[in-house]
Amino acid sequence: MPESGSIQIRKASLADLYGIWLLSKQLLPDCQGISYENFQRLWRHRCVQNPFQQVDDFLGYLLTTPEGSIKGFFGVIPLQLQMRREVRRAVASCSWVVDPAYRTHGLTLFKEFILRNKEDFLLVTTAGDVAAAVCEKFGAFEKVPIVDYEQRLIWWMSPKAAIKYKCKQRGGIYRLFAQESFASSLAFLIQVRTFLRRSRIIPKGQGNHVERISRFGKETDRFLETYQTQFDIIQQKNSEFLNWRHLDIPSSKGVSQVFVSKNVAGEMNGYLVIRNIPPPEGYPGYFIVTDMMYDTSAPGIIGDLLYAAYEYVKEQRASLFEAFGLNRRIMEYCLQFRPDIKKRTHCTYWYKAPDEKTAAFCRTATWWPSGVDGDSLL
């Protein structure tokens, strides 16, 4: 086991990306098979092209040997939160990976992240089992106060392609179920189960006009200026941020579609974004709702936007359609259509406020989460 004197902690920059890639593709499932070019493109998007980045090429923290070999990496993504009408600087964790031979030093990287808390609001939005335990036991982080946040709502549509891909991926005896006859039989059983559970398609809403757009623009900014203040805590958004987060992402992370609703006066009163998540993170025909905001005084907008998105993914011969990480009002609306409900065994969304006054406010505040908070789907 390496001694503490034989390791060093320093800031990571773009010049370190090749070493980070070598470590990540070996140890992180999401990075297996990713080319260096795509990995480089992804981290340039996360940090250099990030509209909230203040230091051009600061990627996070490295654990290195005296010779300079990279043995650990803790990535960070700069963001901004809006708390009522006050904008607060925030930073989210991303891609915590450590060489197994140096795992006892992994907490050293996490401590560097915590040191940012003197000035920044900290977010961990995609915590696995280990990260969740560290947040709770060592970092004094708090869970986001949203009831049933960890619920995933799933509508099975045409699951055969997903079954074949997943069974091939798992290998061994599961490869038998990837054959056409087995996959068709399993897909049929899932669809029968869906019918018996009385799972229903999402019906047409209340008549707001919904259209697809290719870019967010000034109309979006006007909408956000009016409605973003409905909530106590929300990741700050504007058209520049939304284009970066949804439409300018590298193709390896999927392709997004944006739906906007308009009232009778032709004014934007809501938007919804879905993304087709490709392998290895997803599988063929996997669509997920990644972001949604609307005028909460007109709840019928939820139905109009979801119906438009549902019709679109149906045309695309989707395997499944999922909603996750959204505001409780949206999830409650979706539950009436009896989707499959999957729950994670641990909390994935944690935060650490920079002072007790802010922490007390966060515990009782109305949060408006989305599927792109922190490093989610990025």
Side-chain angles (χ1 to χ4, degrees):
M1 190 68 64
E3 297 179 2
S4 58
S6 65
I7 57 101
Q8 299 172 354
I9 301 292
R10 66 174 176 85
K11 292 182 178 180
S13 68
L14 291 173
D16 300 305
L17 271 179
Y18 187 76
I20 296 170
W21 170 68
L22 290 175
L23 183 68
S24 298
K25 74 170 188 172
Q26 180 183 358
L27 298 172
L28 294 179
D30 291 349
C31 291
Q32 291 175 4
I34 189 172
S35 68
Y36 174 58
E37 290 72 21
N38 282 339
F39 188 79
Q40 188 179 43
R41 192 175 295 118
L42 177 60
W43 273 99
R44 283 185 173 275
H45 177 76
R46 286 170 171 171
C47 292
V48 179
Q49 296 159 9
N50 185 330
F52 298 134
Q53 180 64 280
Q54 295 180 333
V55 181
D56 287 344
D57 66 347
F58 174 57
L59 309 183
Y61 303 96
L62 291 177
L63 181 71
T64 69
T65 64
E67 296 74 31
S69 178
I70 295 174
K71 299 300 180 181
F73 172 62
F74 192 105
V76 298
I77 299 176
L79 299 166
Q80 287 184 355
L81 293 180
Q82 184 163 313
M83 297 184 176
R84 299 262 171 89
R85 295 187 178 276
E86 181 185 359
V87 175
R88 301 291 296 267
R89 198 171 69 181
V91 63
S93 64
C94 182
S95 297
W96 184 12
V97 57
V98 180
D99 185 317
Y102 291 78
R103 61 182 177 273
T104 56
H105 301 291
L107 279 176
T108 308
L109 287 171
F110 191 78
K111 289 175 182 176
E112 290 294 321
F113 177 55
I114 291 178
L115 288 175
R116 296 286 298 265
N117 194 225
K118 293 177 181 178
E119 299 179 355
D120 297 336
F121 195 101
L122 304 185
L123 293 172
V124 178
T125 60
T126 54
D129 291 335
V130 174
V134 170
C135 284
E136 188 168 25
K137 295 178 181 179
F138 301 103
F141 280 66
E142 299 186 55
K143 299 176 183 178
V144 64
I146 301 173
V147 177
D148 291 332
Y149 175 79
E150 301 304 327
Q151 280 189 154
R152 296 170 55 209
L153 309 184
I154 298 171
W155 289 267
W156 292 98
M157 302 183 73
S158 180
K160 185 169 72 173
I163 291 169
K164 291 174 70 174
Y165 173 78
K166 282 295 185 182
C167 289
K168 282 182 180 177
Q169 193 180 45
R170 293 194 66 172
I173 194 171
Y174 289 97
R175 285 188 175 274
L176 291 173
F177 297 102
Q179 296 177 18
E180 185 72 21
S181 58
F182 282 113
S184 296
S185 299
L186 284 173
F188 175 74
L189 290 174
I190 289 173
Q191 289 167 329
V192 168
R193 177 178 174 275
T194 298
F195 174 77
L196 293 175
R197 290 186 70 255
R198 294 182 292 155
S199 180
R200 295 177 282 165
I201 63 171
I202 297 172
K204 197 166 185 176
Q206 296 184 9
N208 285 276
H209 173 69
V210 177
E211 61 187 51
R212 283 168 57 201
I213 61 172
S214 58
R215 301 292 291 178
F216 292 98
K218 292 181 179 179
E219 185 180 35
T220 306
D221 289 327
R222 288 193 294 270
F223 163 74
L224 290 169
E225 286 171 9
T226 302
Y227 295 108
Q228 198 162 220
T229 54
Q230 296 175 113
F231 321 108
D232 293 334
I233 302 176
I234 185 171
Q235 187 162 290
Q236 191 188 39
K237 300 175 182 180
N238 54 32
S239 58
E240 182 185 16
F241 170 83
L242 292 174
N243 285 324
W244 168 75
R245 201 61 172 82
H246 295 297
L247 299 173
D248 298 333
I249 56 171
S251 58
S252 61
K253 303 298 288 187
V255 177
S256 296
Q257 304 294 331
V258 182
F259 301 83
V260 299
S261 60
K262 297 186 176 182
N263 59 24
V264 292
E267 299 169 330
M268 181 176 172
N269 59 7
Y271 74 83
L272 177 148
V273 186
I274 60 173
R275 192 187 300 180
N276 182 199
I277 310 293
E281 286 186 64
Y283 34 83
Y286 174 31
F287 287 85
I288 184 170
V289 179
T290 56
D291 195 3
M292 186 175 184
M293 187 184 293
Y294 63 96
D295 175 4
T296 55
S297 68
I301 299 170
I302 300 178
D304 292 310
L305 288 168
L306 282 169
Y307 175 74
Y310 188 86
E311 287 295 299
Y312 174 82
V313 301
K314 193 164 63 173
E315 290 174 5
Q316 301 302 309
R317 301 181 64 83
S319 298
L320 59 84
F321 184 46
E322 178 179 333
F324 168 72
L326 302 174
N327 180 268
R328 183 63 189 169
R329 298 180 193 181
I330 300 170
M331 301 298 271
E332 285 178 348
Y333 177 87
C334 291
L335 284 169
Q336 66 183 303
F337 307 116
R338 297 179 179 271
D340 265 348
I341 301 174
K342 307 293 183 184
K343 287 189 177 182
R344 298 181 188 272
T345 58
H346 61 275
C347 178
T348 59
Y349 198 146
W350 300 78
Y351 70 92
K352 187 174 176 61
D355 56 77
E356 182 51 37
K357 181 180 178 181
T358 305
F361 169 71
C362 292
R363 292 179 194 118
T364 58
T366 302
W367 290 64
W368 187 269
S370 73
V372 290
D373 281 5
D375 70 326
S376 300
L377 299 174
L378 185 60

